[in-house]
């Protein structure tokens, strides 16, 4: 996570000309993107987790 934040800061500095009304190291933007990625990951985890909760563990072990 630290390496990704550092890489994003370096890339955003390179794209300084494309950023309008946002500084290259804007903490609000980084925080918003972090929340968006976390929500996306959480949504992607919910479907398989709910499906796994519906399976009886003994049935799953016997199937293997």
């Amino acid at each position: 996570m630290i390496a990704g934040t550092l890489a994003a800061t370096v890339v955003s500095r390179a794209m300084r000309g494309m950023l309008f009304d946002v500084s290259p190291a804007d903490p609000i933007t980084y925080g918003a993107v972090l929340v968006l990625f976390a929500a996306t990951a959480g949504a992607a985890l919910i479907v398989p987790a709910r499906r796994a909760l519906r399976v009886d563990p003994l049935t799953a072990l016997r199937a293997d």
Side-chain angles (χ1 to χ4, degrees):
M1 186 169 142
I2 294 171
T5 304
L6 181 63
T9 304
V10 170
V11 170
S12 67
R13 290 189 191 279
M15 295 176 48
R16 184 178 294 245
M18 295 182 203
L19 298 173
F20 301 104
D21 295 330
V22 177
S23 71
D26 185 28
I28 295 172
T29 302
Y30 280 113
V33 170
L34 178 65
V35 168
L36 179 67
F37 284 167
T40 304
L45 290 172
I46 288 174
V47 174
R50 290 185 68 182
R51 186 179 303 159
L53 285 172
R54 282 190 248 135
V55 175
D56 181 35
L58 290 176
T59 306
L61 290 172
R62 286 187 191 131
D64 287 338

